């Protein structure tokens, strides 16, 4: 027995409604315990379900709580990383003389650029990220970077190449 094309969206909607109804409270409770803020937990739970809705086949979800936990953890880590980037940027700004302080618009553009770069380099290990930034932002030589990171010069070259590849791929996709 085949289902009509109109039945597929209805089934999808029913599955999503059931998933939300059965697991939203549980996820909200876990996030509240983890984040300590009811409002942040509600935002994170909502974003988690937005990502579930975007899945191509929610009917195929066999372990909904495992999936929701994985998505929520990734969102939490991404938000922590964004906050850390913003904090580091604001600390660097605080060290600048007032005459060099950027306007609010410039700050917003820099933060947007930093977040975009962070997203492009998401697949890199911490050492690879450090090597990439040392090379591209600080203009350090590979041998100096290798000494700081405790890796070979060849490894630094590989790290930087991978970072450049990710950046180029991201630019081509946008």
């Amino acid at each position: 027995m085949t289902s009509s094309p109109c039945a597929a969206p209805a089934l999808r909607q029913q599955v999503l409604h059931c998933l939300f109804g059965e697991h939203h409270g549980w996820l909200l409770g876990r996030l509240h315990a983890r984040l300590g803020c009811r409002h942040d937990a509600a935002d994170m739970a909502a974003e988690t379900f937005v990502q579930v809705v975007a899945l191509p086949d929610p009917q195929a979800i066999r372990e909904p709580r495992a999936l929701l936990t994985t998505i929520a953890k990734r969102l939490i880590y991404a938000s922590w990383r964004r906050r850390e980037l913003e904090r580091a940027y604001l600390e660097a700004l605080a060290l600048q003389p007032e005459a060099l302080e950027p306007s609010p618009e410039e700050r917003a553009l820099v933060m947007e650029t930093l977040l975009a770069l962070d997203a492009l380099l998401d697949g890199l290990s911490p050492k690879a990220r450090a090597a990439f930034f040392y090379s591209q932002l600080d203009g350090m030589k590979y041998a100096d970077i290798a000494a700081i990171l405790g890796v070979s010069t060849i490894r630094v070259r590989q790290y930087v190449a991978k970072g450049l590849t990710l950046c180029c791929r991201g630019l081509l996709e946008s």
Side-chain angles (χ1 to χ4, degrees), residues 1 8 25 34 46 48-49 56 65-66 68 76 87 90 99 101 109 117 123 129 135 139 152 161 171:
M1 180 173 168
R34 176 101 186 221
T48 300
F49 278 99
R65 290 190 175 185
L68 293 171
I76 289 170
R87 184 197 58 73
L90 292 175
E101 188 172 321
L109 284 173
L117 184 57
R129 278 175 178 251
S135 169
S152 69
L171 290 174

Side-chain angles (χ1 to χ4, degrees), residues 85-156:
L85 270 173
E86 186 172 1
R87 184 197 58 73
Y89 174 62
L90 292 175
E91 282 179 6
L93 280 180
L95 298 174
Q96 297 296 318
E98 269 188 56
L100 297 177
E101 188 172 321
S103 69
E105 294 83 14
E106 290 171 319
R107 281 186 187 190
L109 284 173
V110 169
M111 277 309 302
E112 186 178 315
T113 303
L114 285 172
L115 292 173
L117 184 57
D118 182 59
L120 287 174
L121 300 176
D122 190 39
L124 293 181
S125 68
K127 280 189 177 183
R129 278 175 178 251
F132 179 80
F133 286 128
Y134 284 142
S135 169
Q136 300 303 304
L137 298 180
D138 297 335
M140 291 177 65
K141 296 179 180 180
Y142 289 177
D144 297 333
I145 298 168
I148 290 172
L149 297 178
V151 298
S152 69
T153 304
I154 292 171
R155 180 50 112 182
V156 171

Side-chain angles (χ1 to χ4, degrees), residues 71-88:
I71 292 171
K73 280 183 180 179
R74 288 179 183 160
L75 291 170
I76 289 170
Y77 296 146
S79 73
W80 287 346
R81 196 168 56 230
R82 277 191 306 272
R83 286 181 189 158
E84 181 59 26
L85 270 173
E86 186 172 1
R87 184 197 58 73

